Amino acid sequence: MHPSEFFALLPDMATFARVVEAGNFSEAARQLGSTPSTISRQIKRLEQALGMRLLERSTRSVRLTDAGAQVYRHCRDMLGAASGAVDVAGNLVSAPQGRVSLSAPISYARSVIHPLLPGFLRRWPEIDVQLMFVDREIDPLREDVDLVIRLTDTPPLGLAARQLGVARWLLCASPAYLAARGTPSAPQDLRHHECLFLGETVDDNRWTFRRGTETQSVEVKGRYIANDVSARLDAALHDIGIAALPDFAMADALRDGQLVQVLDDWTFEARAYMGPVWLLYPPNRFLPSKVRALIDYLASHLGT
Protein backbone atom coordinates (compact mmCIF):
# COMPACT_ATOMS: atom_id res chain seq x y z
CA MET A 1 0.00 0.00 0.00
CA HIS A 2 1.35 3.40 -1.00
CA PRO A 3 1.92 5.81 1.95
CA SER A 4 -0.68 8.21 0.57
CA GLU A 5 -3.28 5.44 0.57
CA PHE A 6 -2.38 4.51 4.14
CA PHE A 7 -2.73 8.07 5.38
CA ALA A 8 -6.10 8.33 3.66
CA LEU A 9 -7.31 5.37 5.72
CA LEU A 10 -6.42 6.86 9.11
CA PRO A 11 -9.81 8.54 9.68
CA ASP A 12 -11.58 5.29 8.77
CA MET A 13 -9.35 3.34 11.16
CA ALA A 14 -10.21 5.78 13.96
CA THR A 15 -13.91 5.39 13.16
CA PHE A 16 -13.57 1.60 13.16
CA ALA A 17 -12.06 1.68 16.65
CA ARG A 18 -14.89 3.90 17.87
CA VAL A 19 -17.52 1.53 16.43
CA VAL A 20 -15.94 -1.43 18.23
CA GLU A 21 -15.85 0.44 21.53
CA ALA A 22 -19.37 1.83 21.14
CA GLY A 23 -20.85 -1.53 20.15
CA ASN A 24 -22.94 -0.31 17.20
CA PHE A 25 -23.02 2.24 14.40
CA SER A 26 -25.68 4.45 15.97
CA GLU A 27 -23.82 5.03 19.22
CA ALA A 28 -20.53 5.57 17.39
CA ALA A 29 -22.22 8.11 15.14
CA ARG A 30 -23.64 9.92 18.17
CA GLN A 31 -20.22 10.10 19.82
CA LEU A 32 -18.54 11.30 16.63
CA GLY A 33 -21.26 13.76 15.64
CA SER A 34 -21.90 11.83 12.43
CA THR A 35 -24.64 9.60 11.02
CA PRO A 36 -24.91 5.76 11.00
CA SER A 37 -24.90 5.72 7.18
CA THR A 38 -21.67 7.73 7.06
CA ILE A 39 -20.08 5.45 9.64
CA SER A 40 -21.17 2.39 7.65
CA ARG A 41 -19.61 3.78 4.45
CA GLN A 42 -16.32 4.40 6.27
CA ILE A 43 -16.19 0.83 7.59
CA LYS A 44 -16.99 -0.61 4.14
CA ARG A 45 -14.26 1.54 2.62
CA LEU A 46 -11.75 0.29 5.20
CA GLU A 47 -12.77 -3.33 4.65
CA GLN A 48 -12.38 -2.95 0.90
CA ALA A 49 -8.96 -1.34 1.27
CA LEU A 50 -7.73 -4.08 3.58
CA GLY A 51 -9.40 -6.86 1.64
CA MET A 52 -11.07 -8.47 4.65
CA ARG A 53 -14.29 -8.38 6.61
CA LEU A 54 -13.79 -6.67 9.97
CA LEU A 55 -17.30 -6.73 11.47
CA GLU A 56 -20.28 -9.05 11.55
CA ARG A 57 -23.31 -6.75 11.54
CA SER A 58 -26.76 -7.19 13.04
CA THR A 59 -29.64 -4.76 13.41
CA ARG A 60 -28.58 -3.66 16.91
CA SER A 61 -24.91 -4.50 17.36
CA VAL A 62 -21.65 -5.43 15.69
CA ARG A 63 -19.23 -8.25 16.42
CA LEU A 64 -15.57 -8.41 15.52
CA THR A 65 -14.35 -11.07 13.13
CA ASP A 66 -11.05 -12.75 13.99
CA ALA A 67 -9.28 -10.50 11.49
CA GLY A 68 -11.18 -7.49 12.81
CA ALA A 69 -9.98 -8.17 16.35
CA GLN A 70 -6.37 -8.04 15.20
CA VAL A 71 -6.90 -4.88 13.18
CA TYR A 72 -8.75 -3.27 16.10
CA ARG A 73 -5.79 -3.76 18.45
CA HIS A 74 -3.54 -1.86 16.05
CA CYS A 75 -6.11 0.87 15.49
CA ARG A 76 -6.53 1.26 19.26
CA ASP A 77 -2.77 1.54 19.71
CA MET A 78 -2.62 4.08 16.90
CA LEU A 79 -5.25 6.23 18.60
CA GLY A 80 -3.47 5.86 21.92
CA ALA A 81 -0.23 7.08 20.38
CA ALA A 82 -2.03 10.01 18.75
CA SER A 83 -3.71 10.88 22.03
CA GLY A 84 -0.36 10.69 23.76
CA ALA A 85 1.24 13.02 21.23
CA VAL A 86 -1.51 15.58 21.77
CA ASP A 87 -1.21 15.13 25.51
CA VAL A 88 2.57 15.61 25.51
CA ALA A 89 2.14 18.79 23.52
CA GLY A 90 -0.50 19.97 25.97
CA ASN A 91 1.77 19.27 28.91
CA LEU A 92 4.36 21.63 27.51
CA VAL A 93 1.98 24.55 27.78
CA SER A 94 -0.49 23.68 30.52
CA ALA A 95 -1.28 21.47 33.50
CA PRO A 96 -3.45 18.35 33.03
CA GLN A 97 -7.04 19.30 32.38
CA GLY A 98 -10.36 17.84 31.29
CA ARG A 99 -12.72 15.17 32.63
CA VAL A 100 -11.69 11.72 33.87
CA SER A 101 -14.38 9.07 34.34
CA LEU A 102 -13.96 6.33 36.92
CA SER A 103 -16.32 3.47 37.78
CA ALA A 104 -16.19 1.42 40.99
CA PRO A 105 -18.44 -1.00 42.89
CA ILE A 106 -21.00 0.97 44.86
CA SER A 107 -19.78 0.29 48.39
CA TYR A 108 -16.11 0.65 47.46
CA ALA A 109 -16.81 3.89 45.62
CA ARG A 110 -18.73 5.26 48.61
CA SER A 111 -16.33 4.14 51.35
CA VAL A 112 -12.91 4.41 49.67
CA ILE A 113 -12.85 6.41 46.44
CA HIS A 114 -15.28 9.24 47.20
CA PRO A 115 -13.43 10.36 50.39
CA LEU A 116 -10.18 10.65 48.41
CA LEU A 117 -11.50 12.76 45.56
CA PRO A 118 -11.77 16.18 47.28
CA GLY A 119 -8.01 16.05 47.82
CA PHE A 120 -7.43 15.14 44.18
CA LEU A 121 -9.66 17.96 42.95
CA ARG A 122 -7.76 20.43 45.12
CA ARG A 123 -4.44 19.09 43.81
CA TRP A 124 -5.52 19.32 40.16
CA PRO A 125 -7.92 22.28 39.77
CA GLU A 126 -8.18 21.84 35.99
CA ILE A 127 -9.29 18.19 36.13
CA ASP A 128 -12.93 17.18 36.60
CA VAL A 129 -13.86 13.70 37.86
CA GLN A 130 -16.97 11.67 37.07
CA LEU A 131 -17.32 8.90 39.66
CA MET A 132 -19.74 6.15 38.64
CA PHE A 133 -21.21 3.96 41.41
CA VAL A 134 -21.78 0.71 39.48
CA ASP A 135 -21.82 -2.91 40.65
CA ARG A 136 -21.91 -4.44 37.18
CA GLU A 137 -18.66 -5.15 35.35
CA ILE A 138 -17.70 -2.34 32.98
CA ASP A 139 -15.29 -2.87 30.09
CA PRO A 140 -13.22 0.29 29.49
CA LEU A 141 -12.43 -0.94 25.98
CA ARG A 142 -16.11 -0.96 24.98
CA GLU A 143 -17.62 1.74 27.18
CA ASP A 144 -16.75 5.40 27.46
CA VAL A 145 -14.98 5.10 30.82
CA ASP A 146 -11.34 5.97 31.45
CA LEU A 147 -10.72 3.88 34.57
CA VAL A 148 -12.48 0.91 36.16
CA ILE A 149 -12.05 -0.51 39.66
CA ARG A 150 -12.85 -4.21 39.96
CA LEU A 151 -12.44 -6.75 42.75
CA THR A 152 -11.19 -9.96 41.17
CA ASP A 153 -8.49 -12.55 41.77
CA THR A 154 -6.99 -12.04 38.31
CA PRO A 155 -7.29 -8.88 36.17
CA PRO A 156 -8.78 -9.55 32.72
CA LEU A 157 -6.52 -10.01 29.73
CA GLY A 158 -6.17 -7.07 27.40
CA LEU A 159 -6.24 -4.40 30.11
CA ALA A 160 -3.51 -2.66 32.02
CA ALA A 161 -3.92 -3.24 35.75
CA ARG A 162 -2.61 -1.69 38.94
CA GLN A 163 -3.42 -3.25 42.30
CA LEU A 164 -4.92 -0.91 44.89
CA GLY A 165 -5.10 -3.35 47.78
CA VAL A 166 -7.01 -6.38 49.01
CA ALA A 167 -10.56 -6.40 50.39
CA ARG A 168 -11.45 -8.74 53.27
CA TRP A 169 -14.65 -9.30 55.20
CA LEU A 170 -14.79 -8.99 58.97
CA LEU A 171 -17.40 -9.49 61.67
CA CYS A 172 -18.04 -6.56 63.96
CA ALA A 173 -20.47 -5.30 66.59
CA SER A 174 -20.79 -2.30 68.86
CA PRO A 175 -19.32 -2.43 72.39
CA ALA A 176 -22.84 -1.92 73.79
CA TYR A 177 -24.22 -4.93 71.91
CA LEU A 178 -21.34 -7.16 73.05
CA ALA A 179 -21.71 -5.96 76.64
CA ALA A 180 -25.38 -6.93 76.58
CA ARG A 181 -25.18 -10.20 74.61
CA GLY A 182 -21.62 -11.43 75.10
CA THR A 183 -18.78 -11.91 72.62
CA PRO A 184 -18.80 -15.05 70.43
CA SER A 185 -15.66 -17.16 70.68
CA ALA A 186 -16.46 -19.61 67.86
CA PRO A 187 -18.60 -19.46 64.70
CA GLN A 188 -21.28 -21.72 66.22
CA ASP A 189 -21.84 -19.13 68.97
CA LEU A 190 -23.42 -16.88 66.32
CA ARG A 191 -26.58 -19.01 66.46
CA HIS A 192 -27.38 -17.26 69.74
CA HIS A 193 -26.84 -13.73 68.41
CA GLU A 194 -28.66 -11.16 66.31
CA CYS A 195 -26.82 -11.11 62.97
CA LEU A 196 -27.10 -8.59 60.14
CA PHE A 197 -27.01 -10.27 56.75
CA LEU A 198 -27.70 -9.58 53.08
CA GLY A 199 -30.94 -11.47 52.45
CA GLU A 200 -30.75 -11.52 48.65
CA THR A 201 -30.70 -15.32 48.33
CA VAL A 202 -32.11 -18.12 50.47
CA ASP A 203 -28.71 -19.05 51.89
CA ASP A 204 -27.36 -15.55 52.60
CA ASN A 205 -27.82 -16.32 56.29
CA ARG A 206 -25.46 -19.31 56.04
CA TRP A 207 -22.07 -17.92 56.98
CA THR A 208 -18.90 -19.89 56.28
CA PHE A 209 -15.61 -19.48 58.15
CA ARG A 210 -12.13 -20.85 57.57
CA ARG A 211 -9.17 -21.21 59.93
CA GLY A 212 -6.21 -23.07 58.51
CA THR A 213 -7.58 -26.35 57.15
CA GLU A 214 -10.74 -26.13 59.26
CA THR A 215 -14.04 -24.89 57.81
CA GLN A 216 -17.26 -24.19 59.69
CA SER A 217 -20.69 -23.07 58.48
CA VAL A 218 -23.42 -21.67 60.67
CA GLU A 219 -26.98 -20.59 59.94
CA VAL A 220 -27.48 -17.18 61.52
CA LYS A 221 -30.63 -15.23 62.22
CA GLY A 222 -31.44 -11.62 62.95
CA ARG A 223 -34.27 -9.13 63.18
CA TYR A 224 -32.82 -6.79 60.55
CA ILE A 225 -31.89 -7.85 57.00
CA ALA A 226 -30.54 -5.35 54.46
CA ASN A 227 -28.88 -5.73 51.08
CA ASP A 228 -26.84 -2.55 51.49
CA VAL A 229 -23.44 -2.38 53.18
CA SER A 230 -24.01 1.11 54.58
CA ALA A 231 -27.35 0.06 56.11
CA ARG A 232 -25.82 -2.96 57.87
CA LEU A 233 -22.94 -0.81 59.08
CA ASP A 234 -25.35 1.75 60.50
CA ALA A 235 -27.41 -0.99 62.16
CA ALA A 236 -24.30 -2.36 63.84
CA LEU A 237 -23.44 1.14 65.08
CA HIS A 238 -26.94 1.29 66.58
CA ASP A 239 -26.36 -1.88 68.62
CA ILE A 240 -28.72 -4.03 66.54
CA GLY A 241 -26.40 -6.99 66.02
CA ILE A 242 -23.24 -8.51 64.58
CA ALA A 243 -22.56 -7.50 60.98
CA ALA A 244 -20.43 -9.11 58.29
CA LEU A 245 -18.95 -6.29 56.24
CA PRO A 246 -16.00 -5.57 53.94
CA ASP A 247 -13.11 -4.12 55.91
CA PHE A 248 -12.99 -0.90 53.88
CA ALA A 249 -16.56 -0.07 54.93
CA MET A 250 -15.93 -0.39 58.65
CA ALA A 251 -12.35 0.89 58.88
CA ASP A 252 -13.23 4.27 60.43
CA ALA A 253 -15.65 2.76 62.95
CA LEU A 254 -13.08 0.18 64.05
CA ARG A 255 -10.38 2.81 64.39
CA ASP A 256 -12.63 5.07 66.46
CA GLY A 257 -13.78 2.24 68.73
CA GLN A 258 -17.40 2.50 67.62
CA LEU A 259 -17.23 -1.12 66.48
CA VAL A 260 -15.23 -4.09 67.70
CA GLN A 261 -14.07 -6.97 65.50
CA VAL A 262 -15.21 -10.43 66.62
CA LEU A 263 -13.96 -13.89 65.64
CA ASP A 264 -10.79 -12.28 64.33
CA ASP A 265 -8.99 -15.64 64.31
CA TRP A 266 -11.39 -16.88 61.61
CA THR A 267 -11.64 -15.83 57.94
CA PHE A 268 -15.15 -15.03 56.75
CA GLU A 269 -15.83 -16.43 53.26
CA ALA A 270 -17.82 -13.77 51.44
CA ARG A 271 -19.41 -14.09 48.00
CA ALA A 272 -18.57 -10.61 46.73
CA TYR A 273 -16.49 -7.51 47.45
CA MET A 274 -13.59 -9.76 48.41
CA GLY A 275 -10.08 -10.22 47.07
CA PRO A 276 -7.53 -8.07 45.22
CA VAL A 277 -8.71 -4.62 44.13
CA TRP A 278 -7.55 -3.64 40.63
CA LEU A 279 -7.53 -0.34 38.79
CA LEU A 280 -8.05 -1.22 35.12
CA TYR A 281 -7.58 0.84 31.97
CA PRO A 282 -6.84 0.36 28.25
CA PRO A 283 -3.21 -0.63 27.66
CA ASN A 284 -2.29 2.47 25.71
CA ARG A 285 1.37 3.31 25.72
CA PHE A 286 0.52 6.99 26.04
CA LEU A 287 -2.13 7.82 28.62
CA PRO A 288 -3.60 11.32 28.79
CA SER A 289 -1.96 13.21 31.63
CA LYS A 290 -5.31 13.77 33.34
CA VAL A 291 -5.83 9.98 33.52
CA ARG A 292 -2.26 9.34 34.60
CA ALA A 293 -2.67 11.93 37.36
CA LEU A 294 -5.68 10.11 38.84
CA ILE A 295 -4.00 6.70 38.52
CA ASP A 296 -0.92 7.93 40.37
CA TYR A 297 -3.02 9.67 43.03
CA LEU A 298 -5.10 6.59 43.80
CA ALA A 299 -2.04 4.35 43.76
CA SER A 300 -0.20 6.63 46.17
CA HIS A 301 -3.05 6.42 48.68
CA LEU A 302 -4.18 2.84 48.15
CA GLY A 303 -1.53 0.95 46.19
CA THR A 304 0.23 -2.10 47.56
Side-chain angles (χ1 to χ4, degrees):
M1 181 179 292
H2 191 273
S4 62
E5 296 176 301
F6 168 75
F7 289 127
L9 288 177
L10 290 179
D12 297 341
M13 295 169 72
T15 297
F16 170 63
R18 176 61 66 179
V19 169
V20 173
E21 292 163 4
N24 58 64
F25 287 172
S26 296
E27 179 60 21
R30 186 191 67 78
Q31 294 178 12
L32 294 172
S34 183
T35 64
S37 59
T38 299
I39 298 296
S40 179
R41 285 195 297 271
Q42 287 184 271
I43 300 303
K44 288 181 180 178
R45 185 168 58 213
L46 180 61
E47 288 178 326
Q48 290 171 355
L50 298 179
M52 61 182 64
R53 193 169 184 82
L54 302 176
L55 296 171
E56 299 290 349
R57 300 155 173 84
S58 69
T59 55
R60 301 184 66 178
S61 64
V62 295
R63 183 175 63 84
L64 283 168
T65 64
D66 291 343
Q70 297 183 51
V71 172
Y72 166 67
R73 285 194 290 270
H74 291 291
C75 292
R76 183 190 65 202
D77 292 344
M78 175 196 73
L79 290 175
S83 174
V86 172
D87 191 54
V88 167
N91 286 343
L92 296 177
V93 297
S94 65
Q97 56 184 298
R99 176 181 293 183
V100 181
S101 55
L102 166 67
S103 78
I106 294 172
S107 292
Y108 193 85
R110 182 184 296 127
S111 301
V112 180
I113 302 302
H114 167 69
L116 292 175
L117 291 182
F120 176 81
L121 295 172
R122 287 192 294 269
R123 172 67 179 84
W124 299 105
E126 299 299 319
I127 301 179
D128 302 332
V129 176
Q130 179 183 5
L131 177 58
M132 304 164 63
F133 295 68
V134 182
D135 275 337
R136 70 178 178 88
E137 290 192 355
I138 286 184
D139 183 354
L141 294 177
R142 300 188 64 86
E143 303 186 49
D144 193 17
V145 180
D146 296 307
L147 299 170
V148 170
I149 290 176
R150 190 178 300 170
L151 280 71
T152 180
D153 288 334
T154 305
L157 296 175
L159 293 175
R162 192 157 181 176
Q163 189 170 353
L164 297 182
V166 177
R168 300 178 302 133
W169 279 61
L170 310 174
L171 263 63
C172 64
S174 68
Y177 174 86
L178 296 175
R181 299 291 298 270
T183 300
S185 59
Q188 298 304 319
D189 293 343
L190 294 172
R191 292 179 298 173
H192 309 296
H193 282 269
E194 296 290 335
C195 294
L196 305 162
F197 56 92
L198 194 65
E200 288 189 333
T201 64
V202 295
D203 60 347
D204 275 342
N205 67 326
R206 179 166 292 279
W207 289 358
T208 301
F209 299 85
R210 178 175 48 82
R211 183 174 63 182
T213 59
E214 182 182 4
T215 299
Q216 289 192 22
S217 292
V218 57
E219 188 171 314
V220 301
K221 58 181 176 58
R223 298 180 58 210
Y224 186 50
I225 303 167
N227 66 340
D228 179 75
V229 167
S230 297
R232 298 199 303 279
L233 172 62
D234 189 63
L237 290 168
H238 283 83
D239 316 322
I240 293 177
I242 297 176
L245 298 167
D247 56 357
F248 57 78
M250 66 173 76
D252 291 343
L254 286 175
R255 185 190 62 243
D256 298 340
Q258 295 174 287
L259 293 177
V260 176
Q261 184 179 352
V262 299
L263 297 180
D264 57 358
D265 55 338
W266 291 85
T267 298
F268 181 84
E269 297 288 341
R271 295 185 176 92
Y273 280 106
M274 183 176 180
V277 182
W278 298 96
L279 183 63
L280 307 174
Y281 47 96
N284 297 331
R285 184 178 177 186
F286 302 102
L287 280 172
S289 59
K290 60 182 181 179
V291 177
R292 173 58 62 188
L294 185 54
I295 291 173
D296 291 344
Y297 180 83
L298 293 176
S300 69
H301 286 77
L302 303 172
T304 56

